[in-house]
């Protein structure tokens, strides 16, 4: 399979097999600087319904039909 | 079975919630013995405190160092024009006394931080994080993990609210620090804006979850049920599946999502307590 299908926030897109979550988010334009250590805007990711800690994004590879939900953490009260 | 009796006034005052299977007389007696700490008296905390006191909680500690400002009133329901300039804790006390004279209301005019939180939450059966910034939220989480105190978190911004219930008892679920690993949240209602009812929805969810937890928890005074396995809460039909799930609602679009929050194995807060 040369390309796999991924759902991101309900939209189907394709990418190469075994693309990391971090690389995928960068390709999608959701991360500007892949080298940055700290995500500054409160971005969080759930993969197949389970929140993926940011340090795991680089080593978590995407498989066909994986579902990503990207959202922004808020702190106001 | 809780051995605290309900008075005839209790039966009358709480009659509508006593009809609920997850409250009934046993749950109400548990609520009557319960002690909760509410940190922050803004859009979340002012409503949370109102509902906890209205529901007959035995004791609350209200923690906030701010004074009431005009810009608070659109969403912070305990306060009105007459309260501008007053300490939020004092203004809240005056209002809540009128709601329920039987709840013991204690005040801490402090900014909660990592130094004072261990003593602020000591002995509490649960903590409600109603604060408005990440630094305080991280400190609350760490203190609750350390003392194994149930923690109910909510937050809101613009048209969206988010919430999570954490048991902090060494389960497989993560903690707030797992959620924030290498992530910084740089926003608050001053820069992003907030619609009053949106933060109110978050507060209502938070108060509901805390009350159902306290109703299901048979506590002895001064004993933390999460740190005392013999006082493990009984299964609650309505809330048993809400622990460790991160809830997100966009109140404008009515989109509701929930995600599990697994523990991050390198978390410096919760993993060293297992």
């Amino acid at each position: 399979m040369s390309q796999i299908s991924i759902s991101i926030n309900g939209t189907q897109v394709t990418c190469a097999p075994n693309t990391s979550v971090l690389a995928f988010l960068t390709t999608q334009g959701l991360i500007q600087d892949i080298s940055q250590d700290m995500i500054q805007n409160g971005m969080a990711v759930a993969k197949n319904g389970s929140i993926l800690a940011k340090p795991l994004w680089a080593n978590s590879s995407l498989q066909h039909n994986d579902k990503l939900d990207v959202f922004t953490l808020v702190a106001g009260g | 079975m809780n051995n605290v009796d309900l008075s005839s006034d209790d039966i009358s005052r709480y009659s509508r919630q006593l009809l609920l299977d997850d409250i009934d007389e046993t749950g109400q007696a548990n609520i009557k013995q319960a002690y909760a700490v509410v940190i922050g008296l803004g859009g979340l905390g002012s409503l949370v405190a109102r509902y906890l006191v209205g529901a007959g909680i035995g004791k609350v500690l209200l923690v906030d160092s701010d004074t009431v400002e005009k810009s608070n009133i659109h969403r912070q329901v305990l306060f009105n024009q007459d309260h501008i300039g007053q300490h939020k804790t004092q203004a809240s006390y005056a209002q809540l006394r009128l709601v329920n004279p039987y709840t013991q209301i204690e005040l801490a005019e402090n900014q909660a931080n990592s130094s004072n939180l261990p003593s602020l939450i000591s002995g509490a059966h649960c903590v409600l994080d109603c604060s408005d910034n990440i630094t305080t939220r991280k400190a609350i989480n760490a203190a609750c993990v350390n003392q194994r105190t149930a923690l109910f978190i909510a937050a809101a911004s613009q048209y969206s609210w988010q919430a999570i219930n954490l048991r902090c008892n060494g389960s497989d679920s993560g903690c707030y620090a797992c959620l924030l690993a290498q992530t910084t949240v740089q926003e608050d209602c001053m820069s992003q804006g907030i619609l009053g009812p949106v933060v109110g929805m978050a507060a209502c969810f938070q108060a509901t979850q805390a009350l159902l937890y306290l109703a299901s928890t048979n506590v002895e005074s001064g004993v933390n049920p999460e740190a005392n396995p013999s006082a493990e809460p009984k299964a609650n039909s309505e809330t048993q599946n809400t622990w460790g799930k991160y809830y997100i609602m966009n109140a404008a679009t009515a989109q509701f999502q929930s995600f599990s929050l697994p523990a991050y194995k390198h978390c410096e807060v919760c993993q060293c307590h297992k």
Side-chain angles (χ1 to χ4, degrees), chain A residues 38-40 42 49 51 72 75-77, chain B residues 43-44 137 156 162 182 184 260 264:
Chain A
M38 184 72 81
I39 297 296
Q40 297 288 350
I51 292 173
T72 301
Chain B
L44 292 169
R137 290 180 182 280
Q162 304 177 357
Q182 294 185 14
T184 297
S260 62
Y264 171 49

Side-chain angles (χ1 to χ4, degrees), chain B residues 41-42 45-51 62 68 72-73 75-80 83 88-89 91-96 99:
Chain B
L41 291 171
S46 62
L47 193 51
V48 160
R50 172 62 177 80
Y51 277 123
L62 309 178
V68 179
N72 299 153
I73 296 172
R75 68 190 185 283
Q76 301 182 13
V77 297
L78 282 179
F79 312 130
N80 59 47
H83 295 121
K88 287 185 176 179
T89 48
S92 298
Y93 182 88
Q95 297 295 92
L96 294 170
V99 172

Side-chain angles (χ1 to χ4, degrees), chain A residues 3 11-12 20-21 25 28-30 34 38 40-42 48-49 56-57 63 66 72 76:
Chain A
Q3 293 280 290
T11 300
Q12 293 295 133
S20 74
V21 169
L25 296 173
Q28 294 294 310
L30 295 169
I34 198 169
M38 184 72 81
Q40 297 288 350
N41 62 356
N48 299 326
L56 304 177
W57 294 359
Q63 307 299 319
D66 273 350
T72 301

Side-chain angles (χ1 to χ4, degrees), chain A residues 40 50 69:
Chain A
Q40 297 288 350
S50 182
D69 289 285

Side-chain angles (χ1 to χ4, degrees), chain B residues 98-192:
Chain B
L98 299 174
V99 172
N100 192 336
Y102 302 110
T103 292
Q104 182 182 344
I105 302 169
E106 297 194 346
L107 309 176
E109 245 166 57
N110 304 109
Q111 171 67 47
N113 57 48
S114 57
S115 298
N116 60 22
L117 274 164
S119 61
L120 286 172
I121 71 166
S122 178
H125 301 125
C126 72
V127 172
L128 294 102
D129 178 356
C130 303
S131 64
D132 62 0
N133 66 86
I134 284 295
T135 301
T136 304
R137 290 180 182 280
K138 283 182 175 178
I140 294 168
N141 175 71
C144 287
V145 170
N146 192 41
Q147 296 191 23
R148 298 198 168 208
T149 303
L151 172 60
F152 298 89
I153 299 171
S157 179
Q158 298 182 328
Y159 307 106
S160 175
W161 63 266
Q162 304 177 357
I164 186 167
N165 308 333
L166 297 173
R167 298 196 62 172
C168 306
N169 63 351
S171 67
D172 291 336
S173 291
C175 72
Y176 194 65
C178 297
L179 181 70
L180 288 173
Q182 294 185 14
T183 302
T184 297
V185 180
Q186 294 181 321
E187 62 155 307
D188 56 37
C189 57
M190 280 178 31
S191 59
Q192 300 292 318

Side-chain angles (χ1 to χ4, degrees), chain A:
Chain A
M1 189 180 293
S2 59
Q3 293 280 290
I4 58 174
S5 180
I6 303 295
S7 166
I8 177 166
N9 289 350
T11 300
Q12 293 295 133
V13 299
T14 59
C15 69
N18 297 315
T19 300
S20 74
V21 169
L22 182 60
F24 179 77
L25 296 173
T26 305
T27 302
Q28 294 294 310
L30 295 169
I31 298 175
Q32 303 303 320
D33 180 3
I34 198 169
S35 66
Q36 70 179 13
D37 291 330
M38 184 72 81
I39 297 296
Q40 297 288 350
N41 62 356
M43 187 169 78
V45 173
K47 180 183 175 188
N48 299 326
S50 182
I51 292 173
L52 193 64
K54 192 266 175 182
L56 304 177
W57 294 359
N59 293 321
S60 177
S61 60
L62 292 169
Q63 307 299 319
H64 186 56
N65 285 336
D66 273 350
K67 180 184 178 200
L68 293 182
D69 289 285
V70 179
F71 57 96
T72 301
L73 298 170
V74 301

